[in-house]
Amino acid sequence: MVSLLGSRSSDTSITPAVDESGSGKVTARIGIIGVGPRGLTVLERIVAHERQRRSGDIEMILFDPNPPGTGCHDPEQSDIHLVNTVAGQLTQFSDPSVVGAGPVMKGPTFFQWLQEQSALGALRTVDADRISPDDYYPRGLFGRYLIWVFRYVCALAPAHVRIVCKRTTVTRAHRTEDGSWVLETADAKVPVDYLFLTTGHTKPARPARVAQTLRVTGLETVVIDDPFPMQVKLSGITATMTVAVEGMGLTAFDVISDLTVGRGGRFTKCMVTGNLNYHRSGHEPRILLFSRSGIPLGARAVNQKGVSNQYRPRFLFADKLRELRARRRLDFGTDVMPLLIADMEHAYYEAYLRERKDAASALLFSHQFPHADAAQRRALIARYIPEPDRFSWDSLASPIPVDALSDRATFRHWLAAHLHRDVQEARKGNLDSSVKAACDVLRDLRDNLRAAIEFGGLTEESHRWVLSEFLPIMNRLAVGPPQSRITEMIALMQADVLQADFGPGARCTVPSHGGLMRVSAQRWPSHWTEVHALVRARISMHSPKADASSLLRGLLDDGHVRLFHNGSFHPGGIEIDPNHNWVDATGSIVENAWALGIPTEGIKFCTFVIPRTGVNSTAMADAGRAVCCLLSAIARRNEGHAFTAADVLPTEEDASAFASLHGSL
């Protein structure tokens, strides 16, 4: 196995590539800054291409302080933290569905990897007989999969591709006179010819107060801006404290889990109802949960779609949106929203009729509905669906009825009933529940929404509305936690460990006279509670200009990149062209530098998703497009020089064995 990585190194000293043969051929040096899932897609695409056709001698230098591949998926974190996508839909490998990304290099999905590793006896915390493509598994376990993928891809690299992994942070990137780059780390300056920026989630430039030093004096509330890593950041919180958690999204559920089952509490299941009861350990703090909307993300429904089955649009066609964009910028509310709602209605009514009437009625309706105009669709709905049961976007977007806000006790009872209904719908599944089938359309048609939004496709005003109003609703309806998290939330509320009855618009502020911060209900100002700690449980999607990274700030200051603007609106991220090349301060294309993922969130849309198998994954397609440009540039530079193909390539079997057996998983 050693021969598989015989040409790979973790050396920190790197000198410029030189041609000692006099042939004019040089090694192309490629720097990849950030080796999480996005950086892995670049690595995987380069290796896949070079196994099929040699572009030239290549050296890839990967920079990341974390274990290569993992990104924010720390393999050492507690198993109580779950990914919010089922195992069968997570992958780091391309497949035949991906268009224009180059050759397919076979590799296991997360689910297949779980099966393989379990068969080897490497996953003692997972029941081998119960591994399912439709279950949610620990995020730390997914981090171990990503490490395995990194080793596997490295082991598949042909001999002319050298991979160097540097466990460090790039603090600055300098452009040389010949257009190449020098990447500065704490202990080296590394020259590269080509550069990929795939840094993923980064931190905003603000001082973070760490809970490890938490001392409650009765006069000051400790604010934890960034709760990761939780074992460190939340370690100072004790059972005598009241803790406010700002946000009701995925990070908030991680914080709640850490402060409850992470402190020794446990859930037991009622075999009759399927509901949970929570048993205190005595180490839990009092937890107050609040957010702008006042309600948590909706539970993900039981997956009934398999690995790659998605809702197929009947109205919101990507090619139609592109045709319209060729003539003018789009208004999301006028041009996109009616089509999206029509598709959600179609999915809703098809599931409704299958459940409430029969398959024949559902089939007839689903054939008639897409071919009808708006008036005819209203008539069809009136004929088939009783008025109280009809689809309502407004009810999904703003589910809290006015009378539920009459007082805090009424809202508390409404919220409990709302969560119970959400769990019931989630248990039906994403095809059988009319509500969850409609909400899943938002997730399944993300690529169609991208066709309308990305690269300045919307008017400035419409773009602002999408990010401030539509996207939070979309996230709440379509990308929530497993339903087990909502079931646990109900149990924690019933056990008086968790309080979430502050309603919409609640805030945590410092009173005018000073002292501890207070969580107060906007609707009922007299209802407030003092807190010893405030945990801001949100992932920051800040602008690069506000980033703590000296690398990103330096790239902006030096004019190598510029912020993306849609008119006067800066939605975030740097500007890139359709091939993912940087755009510099003068508007010129930087032809030897690319950016993928979160650094481009702004000109791109929803860049934080992990690749999914069988659905023409946007993450893989983007990486493939950028890598094709890279390898074309390398091939042009080597034009006229002959390269001999490798006689023997590492096999997938050998690479899998190497990745599984080399070191601890």
Side-chain angles (χ1 to χ4, degrees):
M1 283 304 153
V2 176
S3 63
L4 283 172
L5 294 187
S7 63
R8 294 139 181 86
S9 167
S10 58
D11 295 343
T12 57
S13 59
I14 301 176
T15 56
V18 294
D19 174 31
E20 297 179 349
S21 67
S23 67
K25 292 186 290 186
V26 295
T27 297
R29 281 209 166 120
I30 304 163
I32 302 177
I33 305 176
V35 197
R38 282 295 170 274
L40 268 187
T41 62
V42 174
L43 177 67
E44 188 268 351
R45 288 292 80 210
I46 292 173
V47 170
H49 275 274
E50 292 302 305
R51 282 174 63 86
Q52 187 174 90
R53 185 174 183 273
R54 183 174 177 178
S55 303
D57 292 337
I58 289 174
E59 183 175 60
M60 280 187 279
I61 308 167
L62 317 181
F63 300 85
D64 199 310
N66 298 314
T70 60
C72 63
H73 300 86
D74 179 7
E76 300 301 323
Q77 67 186 291
S78 169
D79 282 352
I80 64 177
H81 303 310
L82 305 178
V83 293
N84 73 319
T85 303
V86 294
Q89 293 180 356
L90 291 169
T91 189
Q92 278 298 135
F93 295 96
S94 185
D95 59 62
S97 74
V98 183
V99 177
V104 172
M105 187 170 70
K106 292 182 180 179
T109 66
F110 182 41
F111 164 65
Q112 292 166 339
W113 177 83
L114 288 171
Q115 290 181 306
E116 293 171 1
Q117 296 303 306
S118 181
L120 292 172
L123 300 180
R124 295 182 176 83
T125 60
V126 177
D127 186 343
D129 295 329
R130 300 181 65 183
I131 294 174
S132 168
D134 297 321
D135 276 352
Y136 301 87
Y137 289 91
R139 195 178 305 132
L141 195 55
F142 185 65
R144 291 162 64 184
Y145 166 71
L146 294 172
I147 292 174
W148 186 96
V149 170
F150 170 75
R151 294 174 179 165
Y152 176 83
V153 172
C154 287
L156 284 175
H160 70 277
V161 175
R162 181 171 182 256
I163 300 170
V164 180
C165 185
K166 297 176 71 66
R167 292 283 298 274
T168 188
T169 299
V170 175
T171 57
R172 201 73 186 237
H174 304 281
R175 196 90 188 266
T176 64
E177 290 185 2
D178 66 0
S180 62
W181 301 91
V182 175
L183 306 182
E184 189 173 330
T185 69
D187 58 0
K189 293 183 178 180
V190 183
V192 297
D193 305 300
Y194 306 94
L195 183 56
F196 284 84
L197 183 67
T198 52
T199 44
H201 288 290
T202 54
K203 309 295 184 186
R206 65 187 182 203
R209 285 150 285 193
V210 180
Q212 218 175 9
T213 61
L214 190 152
R215 297 289 183 271
V216 176
T217 64
L219 298 176
E220 184 178 358
T221 297
V222 173
V223 179
I224 303 170
D225 287 321
D226 173 19
F228 295 103
M230 289 187 184
Q231 284 185 316
V232 174
K233 296 291 186 71
L234 305 183
S235 62
I237 294 175
T238 68
T240 61
M241 297 179 185
T242 298
V243 180
V245 179
E246 180 184 359
M248 290 189 176
L250 301 176
T251 302
F253 284 106
D254 283 347
V255 171
I256 292 167
S257 294
D258 196 272
L259 295 176
T260 53
V261 292
R263 301 293 176 92
R266 61 188 179 89
F267 293 99
T268 58
K269 187 174 184 178
C270 175
M271 301 308 295
V272 177
T273 65
N275 297 328
L276 298 180
N277 295 311
Y278 183 72
H279 304 273
R280 292 171 177 263
S281 68
H283 300 294
E284 304 90 344
R286 181 188 181 195
I287 304 170
L288 310 181
L289 185 65
F290 70 99
S291 71
R292 184 178 76 163
S293 70
I295 50 178
L297 299 187
R300 291 290 294 276
V302 170
N303 180 45
Q304 298 174 302
K305 296 182 178 181
V307 170
S308 56
N309 186 29
Q310 291 182 303
Y311 174 83
R312 190 166 48 84
R314 273 74 171 181
F315 300 92
L316 190 67
F317 295 108
D319 56 348
K320 298 296 183 184
L321 294 171
R322 295 188 189 101
E323 288 177 12
L324 192 56
R325 277 188 60 171
R327 300 194 294 272
R328 60 174 173 81
R329 291 196 173 190
L330 307 182
D331 179 274
F332 195 88
T334 303
D335 297 318
V336 180
M337 203 68 193
L339 302 176
L340 177 61
I341 289 176
D343 269 313
M344 294 180 72
E345 286 180 317
H346 182 271
Y348 177 95
Y349 291 129
E350 184 179 30
Y352 176 93
L353 290 170
R354 275 191 284 105
E355 179 186 19
R356 304 293 182 90
K357 291 197 175 181
D358 52 68
S361 297
L363 185 62
L364 181 61
F365 181 92
S366 66
H367 280 300
Q368 291 176 317
F369 196 77
H371 300 291
D373 60 27
Q376 291 169 336
R377 292 199 297 273
R378 301 282 74 78
L380 277 171
I381 293 169
R383 185 192 315 163
Y384 280 94
I385 314 295
E387 187 170 351
D389 295 342
R390 291 174 192 169
F391 175 86
S392 169
W393 167 261
D394 290 340
S395 295
L396 287 175
S398 303
I400 306 174
V402 174
D403 57 4
L405 298 172
S406 58
D407 58 64
R408 194 169 176 184
T410 301
F411 177 75
R412 185 184 309 123
H413 291 305
W414 176 87
L415 178 62
H418 170 77
L419 297 179
H420 278 291
R421 286 193 301 271
D422 188 45
V423 169
Q424 289 170 359
E425 293 298 325
R427 287 173 177 169
K428 290 180 184 178
N430 55 15
L431 289 177
D432 289 345
S433 163
S434 55
V435 171
K436 294 301 181 180
C439 291
D440 226 39
V441 169
L442 291 164
R443 179 172 181 257
D444 286 348
L445 296 190
R446 257 189 311 221
D447 280 345
N448 305 60
L449 295 176
R450 290 185 177 107
I453 297 169
E454 291 186 343
F455 293 97
L458 301 177
T459 65
E460 176 183 339
E461 181 181 1
S462 186
H463 201 171
R464 291 179 185 272
W465 181 85
V466 164
L467 297 191
S468 65
E469 301 297 330
F470 173 76
L471 186 58
I473 295 170
M474 174 180 164
N475 288 340
R476 175 164 56 80
L477 297 178
V479 291
Q483 64 91 7
S484 61
R485 289 299 193 222
I486 304 299
T487 307
E488 291 168 359
M489 181 179 175
I490 294 170
L492 290 169
M493 290 166 60
Q494 291 173 339
D496 293 327
V497 174
L498 174 67
Q499 184 178 341
D501 56 355
F502 291 92
R507 298 185 303 161
C508 189
T509 56
V510 179
S512 57
H513 59 271
L516 291 174
M517 298 180 76
R518 296 175 175 180
V519 178
S520 57
Q522 183 185 58
R523 298 279 177 164
W524 319 286
S526 61
H527 291 277
W528 52 267
T529 306
E530 288 185 332
V531 297
H532 304 109
L534 168 64
V535 181
R536 292 197 169 109
R538 302 179 185 275
I539 296 295
S540 175
M541 295 300 292
H542 53 279
S543 167
K545 68 180 179 182
D547 201 277
S549 163
S550 60
L551 169 66
L552 286 173
R553 296 199 310 272
L555 290 173
L556 286 167
D557 292 343
D558 295 340
H560 299 318
V561 299
R562 70 180 184 185
L563 300 176
F564 170 66
H565 284 86
N566 184 357
S568 62
F569 176 46
H570 172 50
I574 63 172
E575 188 173 349
I576 56 171
D577 75 355
N579 290 324
H580 286 258
N581 288 98
W582 301 354
V583 177
D584 70 15
T586 69
S588 299
I589 304 301
V590 183
E591 295 186 349
N592 65 342
W594 297 264
L596 295 161
I598 288 175
T600 69
E601 182 69 29
I603 194 168
K604 298 281 289 180
F605 181 68
C606 287
T607 59
F608 41 80
V609 295
I610 300 295
R612 178 177 169 182
T613 188
V615 297
N616 189 24
S617 165
T618 296
M620 279 297 178
D622 288 347
R625 188 178 303 112
V627 166
C628 284
C629 293
L630 161 77
L631 298 180
S632 293
I634 294 174
R636 286 195 301 272
R637 191 171 74 167
N638 288 317
E639 195 170 352
H641 299 292
F643 291 99
T644 57
D647 293 331
V648 179
L649 288 172
T651 68
E652 293 159 359
E653 291 78 10
D654 285 343
S656 180
F658 173 83
S660 297
L661 301 177
H662 180 75
S664 172
L665 283 173

